[in-house]
Amino acid sequence: MAKNIKITINGVTVEIEPGTTILEAARQTGVIIPTLCYHKDLCVAGNCRVCVTEIVGQKRLTAACATPCEEGMEVLTNSLKVRNSRKHIIELLLSEHNADCTRCYKNGNCELQLLASEYKIMTQDFIRLVPFKKYSIDMFSPSIIKDDSKCIRCQRCVRTCAELQGVNALTVAHKGDQMKITTFFEKTMNDVVCTNCGQCINHCPTGALVEKNYIEEVWDAIADKTRHVVVQTAPAVRVGLGEELGFEPGSRVTGKMVAALKRLGFDAVMDTDFTADLTIMEEGTELLTRLKKVLVDRDEEVKLPMATSCSPGWIKYIEHMYPDYLDHLSTCKSPQQMFGALAKTYYAKARNLDPEKIVSVSIMPCTAKKFEANRPEMHDSGYRDVDYVLTTRELAIMIKQAGIDFMKLEDMHYDRLMGESTGAGVIFGATGGVMEAALRTAYELVTGRDVPFENLNIAPVRGMDGVKEASVKIENPLKEWAFLDGVELKCAVAHGLVNAKKVMDSIRSGETSYHFIEFMACPGGCLGGGGQPIPTSPEIRRKRAEAIYAEDEGMPLRKSHLNPEVIKIYKDFLDKPLGEKSHQLLHTKYTARERF
Amino acid sequence: MTTNYQLKRADFIFKNENDWEEVLSKNINRSPQELINELISSELKGRGGAGFPTGLKWKLSAEAVDETKYVICNADEGEPGTFKDREILSRVPFKVLTAMAVCGHVIGAKEGYIYLRGEYFFLQPELNKAIGEFEYYCKEINLDFKIRIFMGSGAYICGEETALFESMEGKRGEPRNKPPYPSSCGYMGKPTVINNVETLAHTFTIFKYGAKRFYDLGVQYSRGSKLFSVSGDTPKPGIYELELGMSLADFVDEFGDGDTKAVQVGGASGFLVPRKRFSETAIGFQGKLTGISLPTGGSMMLFNSSRSMFNVLDNYLEFFREESCGQCTPCRVGCQQLLKGIKAVKRGEKNAQYLDKLLRLAETMQYTAKCGLGQSVANSFSSIVENFREEMIY
């Protein structure tokens, strides 16, 4: 589009595209206007008013985030009127905010704190409103803590829950001074449709929404010499963790992360990527079995499309919103829970450990995993399969607490037995990755040949489009899969629950007829998960995705069924995919839930 | 003082000659352009309080290109001290309905809504009856225009036009960012004319008698007559139609009880005028050559010397604290601070200079609040604190 609007910002003339807001125009020209309610992932709200700017000739100030530029506009972003007003607004927000910063989980990563620091709000001129309010802290969820006393009512969480996730667990209630962000009938977060995805946490500028952290519990376990503490790391953590520790977004820090975990004192550092590969074996076999039952046996009990089950946010979403579709879900546990079940059985046996003494910790880009680990059915090892789930952010906190200079760490390798992975396991961390990994293995299983995509890269399922579709035609299959000859395997990938909703509705209405669908609760997949470093943005997620695919390209093995430890576990322990042991340890069932 | 300042009664709004059918059928046969020009030349300005030129409003919506457009009558009469729209809707509903249909003809809308204040539920049966009769006549003259009532739920903020749209769309009543303006993107994202009940009633007068008859009333920049809701310390509270441009002194001569200390012009979101400024204050829109000119949605509250201005302000701020929608910082927190602030000064917990800090805060609210509610809290706050400072402290 032609650059055909001229405006001046602080006296400097700039040319910008029509439709550009004052905020965008300023950023393009190197002028920073502070914001709070604005977020690149979300629609413009214009309610915090921190970004007010002066347009010469107008008495009132205007919100830069919500105002499109007009030809000839003269904008001032730092006039006395702007400064005084902005300072007032920050002071007002602070007066209503429980500014107990040193005791706040978000201390040091709080947008309001940063603004207060920039504007040097040193005095408390206005009356502190906090003591007059009946604020509550909701700690009932195993994943999310919601502290209303820290809330600045920017509604970023509300917009996140509605626009990115389509869940609407959080909403605005009451008006005036009573106005608050709350849930349906002001129930606890654990008692509503919340999927625990944690996107609200990722988008919250203050400490009003944070993960429930288990840092001290894990320190205690590590310190307890009678316990054997194993840790697993999810695929997306290795491309996010660096951001918390001084690296640019998109940095791969796998080796340093392993080294750091060993220094923290974990007894064994292993990889969720291993169980991701295992998931492919189980889920791929399940898919092929389902296809056979539907296409050959005409078994009407078996449902297609089959949906992936790795994302616990998605699982809770479908349990609430589409409970009549639960038999479309793969029965496979998520890689985290497979790992947990195996850690206290297979690993315990191989290392000759008492499973009761094993503490199983996982590092996840996710807050819903905390809820998942807490599910009553996740005790198939005879113990709680995963004891503690830490987010990427919590791990970074532990690394800092331990005084580890992360930058200077030498790369180290995962421990054996459940630490080997392939590129297919790594790409679980990006939207489309599970699909791509599954296709790489399933196609080869059926035809004996590589998937017909250059260099194994199944491009149609990559990228940040909300819903992606791909189809793979099966030609000349091996004899036992002859019934699949000529079948065009239709797949879809959805990330962000608002997109999952679109796909589910299209299935319900009969508009689409897929065989296999990957669903991820978070935008971008796990790499954009609710437990990943803050801030997040489309740009940051794109960089993390690039890192994931670079990691995949760099792996010697890129197909799950070639993982030697996967081959070994089937030989030594599990026997075969969907075998009896697998059923006992690696598969699960789902619970229909109410919406209200 | 010029003669323009004299208080003159008028009688258009409630004069019911039962000729709406004639006015309607005559005017829908005139071209939209002709009707817009008529309105523009009448210089009618919105009677809800903001005073936007009505002809221009219709013109902008008429020029917007869209198959679906809406006409909305704003009957969410919520400003404290205003009770004129209720009377219009119960006494001369057909004038309003006719004006809506003419507006529909002008802008190309086939649907109209009356957003009726929740507390006015008792008007609904009669109004529905009138709408039935009106639509029957529309059918007879082959005019495709439907009117529905939408009941509000009692939030003051929903009288703000964009919050009103949100409310009608089934959402939380919170003001939107402007631009875009309703003329291009209003109810359901469609071009919408939203007018106050009284504004629509005045367009009826203009379409019936012609623009000149209206224009000849009032003074420069403030043409025509207006309904005033007179309340407070007055021997004759009620609704009066007066020409715009009168001086407040004349008004108080007529309506005061002989002991009038101050008049609140325009409700809680308006200005308080102390006695010493009565003669230099005119009631009308901005732009007059002499003195102060105060626009108003028609609320005129008179206070005599028995009233504590602290209590008056306290009452207004309580109202705003509760009725702010709560979305934007300056309004939500600002109202709480102003209220708590004056109480603290009164109790001696803050010194008198704190009032100056609050005045600057009020100014910030005026500059930065998202909508008219937060922006206008400063009107009453500053005018009361500046004029009755000692009553705030002692």
Side-chain angles (χ1 to χ4, degrees):
Chain A
M1 208 189 282
K3 288 200 168 193
N4 54 6
I5 287 188
K6 266 192 192 166
I7 66 164
T8 68
I9 299 177
N10 300 338
V12 180
T13 305
V14 290
E15 269 192 53
I16 36 121
E17 285 180 12
T20 311
T21 62
I22 294 174
L23 179 68
E24 290 160 347
R27 287 188 179 178
Q28 281 169 27
T29 47
V31 173
I32 295 163
I33 298 173
T35 56
L36 277 175
C37 70
Y38 175 85
H39 196 288
K40 274 192 174 158
D41 281 338
L42 307 171
C43 78
V44 166
N47 58 27
C48 75
R49 315 309 281 182
V50 161
C51 72
V52 285
T53 48
E54 182 172 354
I55 297 173
V56 175
Q58 292 185 9
K59 186 180 171 198
R60 292 202 180 97
L61 302 178
T62 184
C65 70
T67 311
C69 297
E70 279 169 30
E71 180 67 44
M73 226 179 218
E74 287 178 59
V75 180
L76 300 175
T77 70
N78 192 37
S79 65
L80 190 64
K81 193 167 163 182
V82 169
R83 279 190 56 79
N84 288 341
S85 298
R86 203 175 272 161
K87 204 165 168 182
H88 261 153
I89 289 166
I90 298 166
E91 285 181 302
L92 289 178
L93 284 170
L94 287 170
S95 76
E96 209 187 24
H97 175 83
N98 177 12
D100 192 5
C101 291
T102 57
R103 267 177 285 270
C104 178
Y105 189 65
K106 284 288 282 294
N107 187 9
N109 189 8
C110 168
E111 294 177 36
L112 181 61
Q113 190 184 41
L114 190 67
L115 265 183
S117 155
E118 273 178 16
Y119 278 77
K120 294 288 167 248
I121 313 287
M122 314 287 285
T123 52
Q124 171 93 46
D125 288 350
F126 292 121
I127 295 167
R128 265 190 83 223
L129 298 172
V130 181
F132 297 97
K133 309 228 171 194
K134 290 192 198 101
Y135 285 128
S136 62
I137 304 182
D138 176 359
M139 310 230 283
F140 287 94
S141 159
S143 300
I144 300 172
I145 296 176
K146 177 170 167 288
D147 180 352
D148 291 346
S149 73
K150 310 268 178 68
C151 176
I152 58 166
R153 283 85 162 166
C154 66
Q155 302 189 32
R156 265 158 53 164
C157 56
V158 175
R159 282 175 284 151
T160 301
C161 205
E163 292 167 26
L164 298 182
Q165 303 300 64
V167 173
N168 296 296
L170 290 170
T171 187
V172 181
H174 308 297
K175 58 183 164 54
D177 59 333
Q178 302 294 315
M179 184 264 207
K180 66 192 274 197
I181 312 301
T182 184
T183 55
F184 183 70
F185 266 83
E186 303 197 17
K187 294 181 180 185
T188 66
M189 292 283 274
N190 202 30
D191 221 16
V192 291
V193 289
C194 171
T195 66
N196 303 299
C197 74
Q199 287 301 318
C200 54
I201 298 175
N202 271 15
H203 291 85
C204 179
T206 68
L209 286 155
V210 296
E211 66 265 25
K212 184 172 265 186
N213 82 75
Y214 297 89
I215 295 171
E216 290 308 319
E217 285 84 343
V218 172
W219 279 130
D220 286 349
I222 289 172
D224 185 347
K225 288 299 157 213
T226 66
R227 315 296 295 272
H228 182 87
V229 189
V230 300
V231 66
Q232 54 167 320
T233 62
V237 176
R238 66 206 67 195
V239 296
L241 180 66
E243 290 165 37
E244 291 276 351
L245 298 161
F247 287 86
E248 284 298 305
S251 305
R252 293 150 56 194
V253 295
T254 319
K256 289 190 195 310
M257 175 179 69
V258 174
L261 286 164
K262 293 194 170 177
R263 288 225 191 153
L264 290 180
F266 287 102
D267 296 299
V269 181
M270 296 187 287
D271 201 354
T272 318
D273 290 17
F274 162 76
T275 35
D277 281 335
L278 197 62
T279 301
I280 291 301
M281 300 305 291
E282 295 289 328
E283 202 165 275
T285 312
E286 186 186 355
L287 175 66
L288 292 172
T289 311
R290 282 201 194 206
L291 284 169
K292 181 162 184 293
K293 282 186 180 160
V294 170
L295 298 175
V296 181
D297 308 341
R298 305 280 164 201
D299 185 343
E300 285 178 7
E301 295 286 291
V302 175
K303 295 289 188 334
L304 284 179
M306 187 176 94
T308 62
S309 55
C310 311
S311 166
W314 149 246
I315 296 297
K316 187 143 186 279
Y317 179 76
I318 189 175
E319 286 178 338
H320 279 297
M321 305 295 188
Y322 301 90
D324 46 333
Y325 277 79
L326 291 182
D327 45 11
H328 286 254
L329 281 175
S330 161
T331 59
C332 289
K333 286 183 186 171
S334 71
Q336 162 177 283
Q337 292 307 131
M338 285 195 183
F339 189 103
L342 291 173
K344 294 189 181 180
T345 54
Y346 172 62
Y347 174 81
K349 208 168 130 197
R351 292 281 183 268
N352 201 19
L353 293 163
D354 177 1
E356 206 183 325
K357 301 280 182 210
I358 293 180
V359 177
S360 167
V361 177
S362 70
I363 313 293
M364 293 286 142
C366 184
T367 49
K369 291 279 177 198
K370 291 173 189 271
F371 173 85
E372 185 187 36
N374 203 32
R375 278 175 177 258
E377 64 269 26
M378 295 298 180
H379 285 73
D380 288 333
S381 62
Y383 307 90
R384 181 169 151 147
D385 293 339
V386 175
D387 293 292
Y388 301 112
V389 179
L390 304 181
T391 58
T392 309
R393 297 187 290 263
E394 289 166 82
L395 173 60
I397 292 168
M398 290 183 73
I399 291 171
K400 287 179 198 163
Q401 286 178 351
I404 295 169
D405 189 345
F406 192 73
M407 289 260 185
K408 289 193 180 143
L409 288 174
E410 295 284 335
D411 285 359
M412 287 181 79
H413 287 291
Y414 284 104
D415 291 320
R416 302 264 54 102
L417 204 64
M418 293 181 8
E420 186 73 67
S421 72
T422 69
V426 173
I427 57 175
F428 264 59
T431 164
V434 178
M435 177 61 64
E436 182 165 348
L439 289 177
R440 284 181 192 172
T441 287
Y443 191 88
E444 190 170 328
L445 225 59
V446 169
T447 65
R449 303 184 306 273
D450 276 347
V451 275
F453 288 91
E454 197 187 340
N455 198 20
L456 297 175
N457 297 338
I458 306 178
V461 299
R462 296 188 178 184
M464 293 298 172
D465 289 344
V467 179
K468 294 166 278 188
E469 289 180 323
S471 63
V472 183
K473 194 165 185 183
I474 297 171
E475 284 165 326
N476 300 322
L478 299 173
K479 210 174 3 170
E480 53 183 312
W481 303 103
F483 67 93
L484 286 174
D485 195 10
V487 169
E488 187 156 333
L489 196 63
K490 284 195 243 169
C491 308
V493 173
H495 60 115
L497 291 172
V498 77
N499 295 312
K501 182 179 192 312
K502 283 182 202 155
V503 173
M504 287 308 294
D505 289 343
S506 79
I507 294 169
R508 178 166 274 171
S509 69
E511 270 170 66
T512 53
S513 55
Y514 302 114
H515 296 108
F516 187 37
I517 310 173
E518 178 203 297
F519 288 101
M520 289 294 159
C522 291
C526 303
L527 57 85
Q532 288 283 67
I534 300 169
T536 182
S537 72
E539 178 65 14
I540 290 172
R541 293 194 292 274
R542 198 179 54 72
K543 286 185 176 158
R544 290 178 192 160
E546 280 170 13
I548 286 261
Y549 289 114
E551 187 96 351
D552 168 37
E553 294 264 6
M555 301 286 272
L557 298 173
R558 297 180 60 212
K559 290 178 282 196
S560 297
H561 55 281
L562 300 182
N563 184 332
E565 287 184 354
V566 168
I567 295 168
K568 182 176 157 61
I569 196 174
Y570 279 115
K571 188 165 132 281
D572 295 352
F573 186 69
L574 291 171
D575 186 29
K576 61 172 194 223
L578 299 187
E580 198 192 322
K581 265 239 156 62
S582 294
H583 262 300
Q584 190 204 327
L585 294 175
L586 308 184
H587 291 259
T588 186
K589 56 190 186 317
Y590 305 102
T591 314
R593 293 172 200 270
E594 306 262 309
R595 277 203 199 194
F596 304 110
Chain B
M1 293 300 140
T2 67
T3 51
N4 284 338
Y5 279 85
Q6 277 173 5
L7 183 128
K8 292 184 203 153
R9 299 211 182 201
D11 183 20
F12 287 98
I13 298 278
F14 293 120
K15 189 162 71 177
N16 200 350
E17 290 154 336
N18 259 328
D19 53 355
W20 60 271
E21 285 131 321
E22 198 185 308
V23 174
L24 178 62
S25 49
K26 192 181 95 194
N27 280 287
I28 58 162
N29 286 315
R30 298 169 73 189
S31 78
Q33 195 53 54
E34 197 187 333
L35 290 161
I36 287 172
N37 290 342
E38 182 98 58
L39 267 190
I40 290 177
S41 56
S42 75
E43 291 191 14
L44 169 64
K45 291 178 180 175
R47 294 306 198 230
F52 191 82
T54 308
L56 180 59
K57 194 181 256 191
W58 289 26
K59 183 167 184 268
L60 292 170
S61 289
E63 284 167 358
V65 184
D66 209 307
E67 281 194 3
T68 314
K69 297 182 185 179
Y70 298 100
V71 179
I72 294 175
C73 167
N74 187 348
D76 191 49
E77 186 175 39
E79 189 63 50
T82 317
F83 37 85
K84 63 190 175 66
D85 295 343
R86 181 180 69 192
E87 283 304 296
I88 297 173
L89 285 175
S90 49
R91 285 165 62 185
V92 287
F94 287 103
K95 289 193 176 184
V96 178
L97 302 180
T98 303
M100 288 175 75
V102 174
C103 178
H105 164 65
V106 167
I107 68 165
K110 293 183 172 56
E111 282 177 72
Y113 288 91
I114 297 172
Y115 189 98
L116 191 60
R117 179 181 177 180
E119 290 87 339
Y120 288 175
F121 58 88
F122 58 89
L123 292 178
Q124 215 182 350
E126 283 299 312
L127 202 50
N128 267 326
K129 227 156 83 187
I131 290 171
E133 201 181 316
F134 181 78
E135 287 185 344
Y136 183 81
Y137 180 71
C138 287
K139 215 181 271 173
E140 269 187 2
I141 59 168
N142 277 326
L143 178 64
D144 182 10
F145 192 75
K146 299 259 176 302
I147 296 176
R148 301 273 169 277
I149 297 178
F150 187 98
M151 289 306 295
S153 303
Y156 171 70
I157 189 60
C158 288
E160 198 280 342
E161 53 191 19
T162 58
L164 185 150
F165 299 148
E166 292 283 301
S167 159
M168 283 182 68
E169 291 173 12
K171 298 180 217 148
R172 187 180 154 80
E174 285 184 349
R176 298 174 180 168
N177 290 304
K178 295 185 208 176
Y181 295 97
S183 55
S184 61
C185 179
Y187 175 54
M188 302 303 263
K190 300 291 181 187
T192 305
V193 161
I194 175 162
N195 279 141
N196 173 259
V197 176
E198 187 190 342
T199 312
L200 288 165
H202 282 298
T203 67
F204 183 93
T205 307
I206 292 163
F207 294 140
K208 181 177 170 184
Y209 296 106
K212 185 160 187 316
R213 196 66 189 272
F214 184 87
Y215 182 87
D216 285 347
L217 307 177
V219 297
Q220 199 187 5
Y221 303 119
S222 298
R223 295 293 172 186
S225 59
K226 158 123 202 53
L227 291 184
F228 289 89
S229 311
V230 181
S231 66
D233 297 318
T234 166
K236 38 183 175 180
I239 297 167
Y240 299 88
E241 185 171 349
L242 305 171
E243 286 189 36
L244 284 176
M246 67 197 167
S247 88
L248 198 53
D250 280 359
F251 176 86
V252 172
D253 277 351
E254 177 72 22
F255 294 100
D257 62 357
D259 184 26
T260 306
K261 167 172 155 185
V263 179
Q264 179 79 13
V265 181
S269 62
F271 296 84
L272 184 103
V273 185
R275 184 188 293 144
K276 63 179 182 226
R277 298 210 188 280
F278 285 170
S279 58
E280 64 191 65
T281 304
I283 302 303
F285 299 101
Q286 299 295 326
K288 277 191 61 64
L289 299 173
T290 50
I292 311 157
S293 188
L294 291 180
T296 169
S299 163
M300 305 292 276
M301 277 185 266
L302 293 91
F303 299 107
N304 67 19
S305 59
S306 71
R307 306 293 165 185
S308 149
M309 295 324 288
F310 174 84
N311 287 348
V312 170
L313 180 58
D314 181 78
N315 180 285
Y316 291 161
L317 291 174
E318 272 295 348
F319 174 78
F320 286 126
R321 174 192 62 83
E322 189 178 328
E323 290 298 344
S324 160
C325 78
Q327 79 164 310
C328 86
T329 312
C331 180
R332 180 188 68 247
V333 195
C335 290
Q336 296 174 62
Q337 288 294 354
L338 295 183
L339 178 63
K340 285 219 173 348
I342 61 161
K343 284 180 193 285
V345 170
K346 190 78 175 174
R347 285 196 297 258
E349 293 162 9
K350 293 267 186 193
N351 60 28
Q353 283 71 45
Y354 192 63
L355 289 174
D356 300 321
K357 206 173 276 294
L358 294 179
L359 283 168
R360 286 195 294 276
L361 173 62
E363 195 182 30
T364 292
M365 290 168 69
Q366 188 185 10
Y367 292 152
T368 62
K370 187 167 178 174
C371 80
L373 196 166
Q375 290 162 3
S376 56
V377 173
N379 297 350
S380 51
F381 184 84
S382 304
S383 56
I384 294 175
V385 170
E386 278 164 6
N387 289 305
F388 294 94
R389 193 179 172 99
E390 66 289 352
E391 288 195 35
M392 300 298 121
I393 302 166
Y394 306 108

